[in-house]
Amino acid sequence: MSRSTIQRILLGAVVPVLVYYAGRRVGVPMVGAALAAAWGMGVAVWFFARDREVDGFSAIGAAYCLTELAGLLVTRNPDWYLLSPIVSNTAMGCVFLASMLFRRPLIQLLAEQTAGRDAFPDSVRNSEFYRPLWLRLSMLWGGAYFLRAMCLWIILQGWPLEVYLAARVALDWPVVVALIALSFWYPKLYWRQRLHPAKNREYGE
């Protein structure tokens, strides 16, 4: 895991939760929620300014923070900070699955933007196995977001606040990093097995 990724996890996921929890503990939950959401948005803007580029995954994270902050301003209810990741994860699950109806699903667009279209040879792009791979990954990402929302909802309903906040952190950036890593590893395996089956048998794969 790169240093930049660790920074994003600590600054964008851990610190806001600690700020919210501190505000709740001292009796000002709305202030804590607003500061936490503002901090998350500030971190997203800072990374944009530092890296001088906007990638799809960071844009999704920034949209989360903006939704969180806007929801707090509209509802004026500090509990929105607890509900917002459930709502956002459910919405993103729907987006990933709905994008399967288009010629280029969302995960394909994100992958081509991150790795570059040249990272996929013409032999792969023109094969019958190119689109099915992105459909599989779309189902994986959509299912993962739905599962995150479901887990958070269940924990929020029956577990202490501290457990929910810890789960919120654990299911945030770490899960996204794992999904990204899998999305880089699995396509190579998938296409190699289907486009070069003889070579795989030669090496006993």
Side-chain angles (χ1 to χ4, degrees), residues 59-130:
I60 291 175
Y64 271 20
C65 296
L66 183 60
T67 301
E68 195 168 73
L69 185 57
L72 284 170
L73 294 176
V74 171
T75 64
R76 298 186 180 276
N77 183 352
D79 288 341
W80 172 255
Y81 184 80
L82 302 176
L83 292 172
S84 62
I86 299 174
V87 175
S88 297
N89 278 295
T90 301
M92 281 307 304
C94 292
V95 168
F96 275 111
L97 295 182
S99 72
M100 296 172 63
L101 301 175
F102 296 91
R103 185 173 63 87
R104 295 170 67 194
L106 177 59
I107 190 62
Q108 179 182 345
L109 295 174
L110 294 174
E112 290 177 346
Q113 180 194 43
T114 302
R117 291 174 65 89
D118 295 338
F120 306 103
D122 289 339
S123 59
V124 172
R125 297 180 63 85
N126 297 329
S127 74
E128 61 180 311
F129 304 113
Y130 190 65

Side-chain angles (χ1 to χ4, degrees), residues 3-4 7 17 35 69 78 102 104 123 128-129 135 138 152 155-157 167 169 187:
R3 181 179 178 181
S4 177
Q7 286 179 335
V17 166
L35 289 177
L69 185 57
F102 296 91
R104 295 170 67 194
S123 59
E128 61 180 311
F129 304 113
L135 295 179
S138 295
L152 289 176
I155 295 172
L156 181 61
Q157 297 306 306
V169 172

Side-chain angles (χ1 to χ4, degrees), residues 89 93 138-150 171 175 179:
N89 278 295
S138 295
M139 293 181 64
L140 173 66
W141 278 76
Y145 273 86
F146 278 126
L147 185 60
R148 285 203 304 182
M150 185 183 303
L171 295 175
V175 172
L179 285 171

Side-chain angles (χ1 to χ4, degrees), residues 12 15 18 29 37-38 72 89 142 154 184 199:
V15 173
L18 294 176
L72 284 170
N89 278 295
I154 292 173
F184 274 99
K199 183 179 294 186

